[in-house]
Structures are given as C-alpha cells and as structure tokens.
Amino acid sequence: GGIITQTPKFLIGQEGQKLTLKCQQNFNHDTMYWYRQDSGKGLRLIYYSITENDLQKGDLSEGYDASREKKSSFSLTVTSAQKNEMAVFLCASRPGGAREQYFGPGTRLTVL
Amino acid sequence: QQKVQQSPESLIVPEGAMTSLNCTFSDSASQYFAWYRQHSGKAPKALMSIFSNGEKEEGRFTIHLNKASLHFSLHIRDSQPSDSALYLCAALSGSFNKLTFGAGTRLAVCP
C-alpha cells in the first residue's frame, strides 16, 4: 500500500501573503490533483497534473499556481491569501487506467 | 460542464435504519459513478462505484444507477453509528482525469 502526505497540516497566513502547500505520494501514480473543500462542503478542483511537469487548470484555478517537478510531488501556491479562501486543501492521486482517486489528509488554511 | 447535486444536505437516522442518499448528474454521457465517504477530519475514501445501469451490493451498502433519469443513489442497510460521515457522490465524463463531486450529504446515525 501507499500513502499521501500533505504538509503542513495547518497553515496560518496573513491576508495578501503567498503560501505554499506540499503533497507527496509513494503510490507511483501518474495523475495528481488539488481540491479545495470549504467547511463541510464538496470538493472543487483547483489544478491537476497527468505527469511530471504537466499542469491543467481546474474550475477554481484563479488565485493559485501549481508545480509538478517530480512524479511523486505536487505543490500548490496561494498567490495572495484572502480571508474568503479559508478551507481545507486536499491532494489526491490516481493510477493510470483507473478512475478511483486516493486522498491525503488535507491542509487546513487559516487567513488572518 | 458536468453538474452533480446531492440530496438531502443532511440526515439523522436511528441505528439499524435503512439510509438512502441521492445524487443527480447533468451529463448523459457520464461513464463512472462513485460514492466517497469522509469521516470528520479525515481524508475522503472511495466507498463504491458503478459503471452501468442497475445495482451493485457490497455488504450493507448498495449503489443504484439509472442513467435515463440521470440519477444514482447509495443505500445503507442496518445503519451504524460508525457510518456517520460526509458522503460525497461523484461522476466522471470525458477523460479519466476529472471527477465532478457533489456538495455532500452529512449523515448522523444515532445509537
């Protein structure tokens, strides 16, 4: 079995600050995802990547950048943190040819 | 663009009851339908999935799909307090890459 690790678990930043969230997976999966989950709500796709150095925008990409420098890692940057984007950010991965996604435990973002 | 809607938003049932959760989708070409379960503070985890019309049963859980009515559902038999969680439905259309999730149904099973 594998695991997805997200760091940090809690991230506190100031309004306007640039913040980076990291995700690592040891499944050796090709595709990785970043989702945002507002309190108790569903998941909205921010970015995904089908292979190293590939980036695809999701429905909620404005205000975010992403980076996939290695197959095993996928980073998300909040370019200018706003109070209305306090949420849990979930990373997921999926093996090629399968549809099921495997999720990490999330990073909870608080903006002061 | 695919739209996925869930009902109800929240549900409280007594232990031992049958629970039914509903999901509608907008893209009639959707090929894959799944339910994920997320316990409080934990990662969402895939529970069940289905590809074609009909039913699929795994233990106490049954998934039912009716593509003509753009509807699928999850039924939990003999609901347990440990089933209390946020249930997310998801549908896939187009490439394998993008699952569209619903907003979730929060289930509480009371002993």
Side-chain angles (χ1 to χ4, degrees):
Chain A
I3 192 168
I4 296 180
T5 305
Q6 291 188 239
T7 54
K9 191 166 180 174
F10 300 96
L11 181 56
I12 301 174
Q14 301 288 330
E15 205 164 17
Q17 191 176 359
K18 183 175 174 180
L19 302 166
T20 298
L21 294 70
K22 294 185 183 295
C23 177
Q24 295 263 358
Q25 53 100 358
N26 64 0
F27 287 106
N28 199 35
H29 288 169
D30 295 312
T31 306
M32 295 186 73
Y33 302 84
W34 276 107
Y35 291 94
R36 176 173 143 182
Q37 184 174 34
D38 291 275
S39 180
K41 303 285 187 188
L43 311 181
R44 290 187 283 174
L45 182 64
I46 305 172
Y47 267 97
Y48 68 98
S49 166
I50 61 174
T51 189
E52 190 176 317
N53 293 320
D54 173 75
L55 292 175
Q56 306 285 338
K57 291 184 178 181
D59 301 324
L60 200 67
S61 60
E62 191 168 331
Y64 302 96
D65 286 328
S67 171
R68 182 100 182 266
E69 292 170 354
K70 292 192 298 184
K71 185 176 182 179
S72 61
S73 67
F74 194 27
S75 298
L76 181 73
T77 298
V78 182
T79 55
S80 175
Q82 303 299 315
K83 290 193 176 177
N84 64 2
E85 62 193 336
M86 292 201 291
V88 174
F89 290 80
L90 291 164
C91 176
S93 68
R94 179 181 65 79
R99 295 163 180 86
E100 181 178 337
Q101 295 183 17
Y102 296 78
F103 284 84
T107 292
R108 182 174 293 276
L109 173 65
T110 300
V111 182
L112 301 177
Chain B
Q1 186 176 354
Q2 173 85 275
K3 290 194 188 326
V4 175
Q5 294 189 299
Q6 290 188 239
S7 63
E9 280 188 22
S10 61
L11 191 56
I12 302 172
V13 302
E15 186 174 355
M18 170 74 88
T19 298
S20 295
L21 310 177
N22 299 292
C23 192
T24 59
F25 55 97
S26 62
D27 185 350
S28 59
S30 298
Q31 315 141 351
Y32 166 82
F33 307 87
W35 286 93
Y36 283 70
R37 182 167 70 178
Q38 185 180 23
H39 286 108
S40 186
K42 304 291 186 184
K45 191 170 179 186
L47 192 57
M48 288 186 76
S49 61
I50 194 167
F51 294 89
S52 53
N53 275 339
E55 277 190 3
K56 181 176 165 185
E57 182 178 333
E58 291 179 3
R60 296 185 294 110
F61 297 86
T62 301
I63 189 171
H64 180 88
L65 171 64
N66 183 331
K67 283 191 179 181
S69 59
L70 303 177
H71 177 264
F72 64 109
S73 55
L74 180 71
H75 306 275
I76 307 173
R77 179 172 47 84
D78 187 24
S79 299
Q80 298 296 307
S82 58
D83 296 329
S84 299
L86 182 69
Y87 287 78
L88 298 161
C89 67
L92 181 72
S93 54
S95 75
F96 281 20
N97 292 319
K98 289 179 71 173
L99 267 181
T100 302
F101 286 87
T105 293
R106 186 162 294 284
L107 173 66
V109 181
C110 298

